Amino acid sequence: MTELPNKGERRRDGILTVLKQQGRITISEIVEKFGCSEATARRDLELLERTGPLVRTIGGAMYDGMNPVRDSSFAERQGISLLEKEHIAQEAARHIVEGDVVGLSGGTTNYLIAKLLKTRKGITVVTNAVNIAMELAGSEIQVVVTGGMMRHNSFELCGPLGEGMVSHLNIGKMFIGVDGISENGGITTYSEQEAQIAKALMSRSQITYAVFDQSKVGRTSLFSIAQLKDLEAVITDRHLHGSLADAARRCGVAVYVAGEAEDEDETAEQG
């Protein structure tokens, strides 16, 4: 005997139907159409974000069925291009010295940067990612955690509460994890909330580095964080090519390729 869908499943199916029909839906629309509470509506969108073709926005969601690549969980992303990300994290750590106030947004590469900083001293880390803060717990790193609502996919704290706190901070070097980088789109992400907190962190930083592996190159995700001209540097695992490399050069963006500095040091020692 086929088991009938329960009330919650029927409601979420209805939300997906509306999303497909009109492209977006708000929390208030879900409450009105399906007779549920705001808390239930938010939980439904969280569940659908993990399995369905939608992207959370501030106050609702957008249908993303045309995009085969969607916002995935931290656990899903953690094992992708791991070696490349480790090399990028090592290069990023070379740019951090004692006395620095460092900003780390969420993301698997920035998490690896945090792991490398655990043994260092005299550094302050500002982060909106709960898992990064926990990774640094017990170390001699001073950690400042922004407030906000946590996104379960990324462990990032987002929203007006966190943005308000960030507005009072002064960050020296900001490392931003991205879902895409392109000539026209700049650096982008799948989450509107993460884009907003990333913009807030960048606005309070003296220097911003975008960190990404080659799978992000040429990709433009749904929400913009910043244009290339807003970056001081990028750290990646291979040289940029074509129009993106030209655009970075025109904008004065320094490009650091993971592993190159170590290769230069070895060559100098052998000479």
Side-chain angles (χ1 to χ4, degrees):
M1 183 175 177
T2 303
E3 188 174 334
L4 295 175
N6 61 36
K7 185 179 179 181
E9 290 170 338
R10 292 196 301 272
R11 186 178 58 251
R12 288 187 286 275
D13 287 343
I15 292 170
L16 269 181
T17 299
V18 174
L19 275 167
K20 291 174 182 178
Q21 291 172 345
Q22 61 188 38
R24 62 172 60 236
I25 194 168
T26 65
I27 295 292
S28 58
E29 283 180 306
I30 295 172
V31 170
E32 183 179 346
K33 287 178 181 292
F34 301 99
C36 62
S37 67
E38 284 193 13
T40 297
R42 293 182 191 280
R43 282 197 299 271
D44 281 347
L45 291 182
E46 283 185 12
L47 284 169
L48 289 169
E49 184 182 31
R50 297 173 197 169
T51 59
L54 67 85
V55 176
R56 289 291 303 277
T57 64
I58 295 172
M62 294 178 64
Y63 184 63
D64 194 33
M66 298 302 290
N67 194 338
V69 184
R70 58 183 298 277
D71 189 15
S72 54
S73 70
F74 182 89
E76 289 172 322
R77 287 180 279 125
Q78 195 168 17
I80 299 173
S81 303
L82 179 59
L83 187 60
E84 290 85 351
K85 290 174 181 177
E86 287 177 340
H87 290 161
I88 293 166
Q90 290 165 7
E91 176 63 30
R94 290 168 59 89
H95 294 259
I96 300 169
V97 298
E98 187 173 346
D100 277 346
V101 177
V102 176
L104 295 177
S105 71
T108 51
T109 303
N110 277 353
Y111 178 75
L112 292 171
I113 295 173
K115 288 175 76 72
L116 292 173
L117 295 181
K118 284 176 67 173
T119 57
R120 308 271 285 271
K121 299 179 181 179
I123 296 168
T124 297
V125 170
V126 177
T127 186
N128 69 312
V130 174
N131 61 328
I132 287 176
M134 290 300 296
E135 181 63 28
L136 293 170
S139 72
E140 295 190 48
I141 300 291
Q142 178 172 269
V143 181
V144 178
V145 185
T146 67
M149 296 288 290
M150 189 180 76
R151 293 194 72 243
H152 295 289
N153 268 7
S154 63
F155 307 121
E156 288 198 55
L157 299 171
C158 303
L161 186 63
E163 292 164 28
M165 178 183 173
V166 169
S167 68
H168 299 289
L169 303 177
N170 294 299
I171 302 168
K173 299 170 182 176
M174 184 69 214
F175 295 84
I176 295 281
V178 304
D179 291 320
I181 181 168
S182 62
E183 176 187 1
N184 296 322
I187 55 173
T188 55
T189 181
Y190 289 110
S191 164
E192 185 179 14
Q193 296 99 322
E194 289 178 19
Q196 292 299 113
I197 191 67
K199 288 177 183 178
L201 289 163
M202 283 184 63
S203 72
R204 302 301 302 171
S205 304
Q206 295 177 16
I207 299 172
T208 298
Y209 299 80
V211 295
F212 55 89
D213 63 80
Q214 283 298 299
S215 68
K216 312 296 174 59
V217 173
R219 180 183 296 176
T220 301
S221 302
L222 191 57
F223 296 103
S224 174
I225 298 172
Q227 295 301 307
L228 291 178
K229 63 181 178 60
D230 300 316
L231 302 173
E232 277 70 36
V234 300
I235 302 176
T236 185
D237 57 320
R238 296 182 201 166
H239 285 283
L240 303 182
H241 295 287
S243 59
L244 180 58
D246 294 338
R249 198 175 300 113
R250 286 195 306 272
C251 294
V253 178
V255 179
Y256 297 101
V257 179
E260 281 201 339
E262 288 87 342
D263 293 342
E264 290 173 3
D265 291 343
E266 287 178 9
T267 301
E269 288 175 7
Q270 291 170 3

